[in-house]
Amino acid sequence: MTDQELAIAVAETSPAMLWMGDALGRCVFLNSSLRRFWGVDPDALDQFDWSSTLHPDDVALLSQPFSEAMAAHTSFVVEARYRRADGIYRIMRTEANPRFGGDGTFLGMTGLNIDVTEQRDAEQKSLYLMGELNHRTKNLITVVMAIARATARSTEPDRFLETFSSRLAGLASSNDLLVAQDWTAVSMRDLVTSQFRTISMESDDRIAFDGPDFSVCPQHAQTVGMALHELATNSLKHGALSEPSGRLTVTWRSNDANQWRLEWRETVSRTLPAPVRRGFGHVVMVDMVERTVGKVDLRFEPQGVTWILEV
């Protein structure tokens, strides 16, 4: 086998997409990998115009470095989208070197095309995820700071750490559900029961859960989770979960119009006094929820607390 035959055999069997162009930029050789990519008949190579496969938006992107390299007889590297034989555009990285004859005459370019579509998509996804992470981290820090300030204002110093830690646990529980679902949506049942898990009450006989299993968007899940945690904590301290005969029902419903309703109803054997002031609990259970989720009806009735959310 001659050196020329060996070179052609290597090029033809290479998994890399190799090509050779003449001094006018026309293809004079495409190896089998690149012919398969473009769907080129090897017997009709002289009729193939590689520039016709360029994405219209990338023509200007490629033309300048290609023209400059052809004029100056220098190497060039450029990325652009090319239409594959099946009609799908792929991002190709082209690396080319000039080719010269024995007398120094410029003969054209020899190059390598690399499909970098998955790599670029992964980079874009990574940038998007980093931006989302940065945004969510800032939001989370803002919420934590608000919880800390409000807890400090409404709690005795010796109870601050316990109360603050409990509220953070409620927030973390909702975030754990969101992370497990890639921040797409959260099951309503999981959202409700997870908050009782933070106070070790998820299987208490005094609590009844009922409702279909539909999904809640991330923006709603975080806020509703905090409200549920506040309700559960208050119930454990002062309401239905503070006495053996207390009863608590949490029900949820959804209709076909993309509306849903969540109800929290407590029943106690004693008469409960109404709160004398609006503290941080009211901010979480009503103000925050109404600002970002839906309409809230909170009632401190003698027989127990009722909280209804309509979204």
Side-chain angles (χ1 to χ4, degrees), residues 11-171:
E12 278 293 288
T13 57
S14 173
M17 292 182 278
L18 306 175
W19 56 268
M20 185 181 294
D22 64 15
L24 297 177
R26 298 171 302 196
C27 288
V28 295
F29 172 77
L30 299 176
N31 76 338
S32 59
S33 294
L34 196 45
R35 291 199 304 272
R36 282 195 302 271
F37 179 88
W38 272 319
V40 176
D41 182 349
D43 295 328
L45 182 59
D46 58 342
Q47 301 173 27
F48 173 66
D49 178 10
W50 62 269
S51 64
S52 66
T53 69
L54 264 173
H55 192 288
D57 294 342
D58 290 356
V59 172
L61 176 70
L62 180 75
S63 60
Q64 182 175 348
F66 176 74
S67 299
E68 290 176 351
M70 290 291 287
H73 306 163
T74 55
S75 302
F76 73 93
V77 177
V78 67
E79 290 186 11
R81 289 168 290 178
Y82 295 86
R83 188 178 62 252
R84 201 166 56 186
D86 58 5
I88 296 175
Y89 282 96
R90 305 287 293 179
I91 303 173
M92 302 275 271
R93 177 183 174 88
T94 299
E95 301 181 7
N97 289 327
R99 190 175 75 262
F100 300 96
D103 59 354
T105 303
F106 175 64
L107 301 178
M109 293 284 182
T110 300
L112 164 71
N113 284 5
I114 307 168
D115 190 333
V116 295
T117 307
E118 279 77 19
Q119 181 182 344
R120 296 297 172 260
D121 287 347
E123 290 170 356
Q124 287 298 316
K125 184 177 181 180
S126 178
L127 288 174
Y128 170 76
L129 291 175
M130 288 300 293
E132 281 292 295
L133 178 61
N134 183 51
H135 175 69
R136 290 170 184 166
T137 300
K138 288 180 179 178
N139 284 347
L140 189 60
I141 290 173
T142 300
V143 172
V144 171
M145 290 175 65
I147 293 174
R149 286 194 296 267
T151 304
R153 285 196 301 266
S154 60
T155 309
E156 295 297 324
D158 59 341
R159 296 290 306 280
F160 171 81
L161 182 59
E162 176 188 350
T163 305
F164 181 59
S165 298
S166 175
R167 285 169 173 163
L168 285 187
L171 179 63

Side-chain angles (χ1 to χ4, degrees), residues 212-237:
D213 199 9
F214 59 88
S215 296
V216 180
C217 70
Q219 295 85 348
H220 290 172
Q222 195 171 54
T223 304
V224 174
M226 289 178 62
L228 290 171
H229 180 78
E230 201 68 27
L231 285 162
T233 302
N234 288 344
S235 180
L236 186 62
K237 293 179 179 178

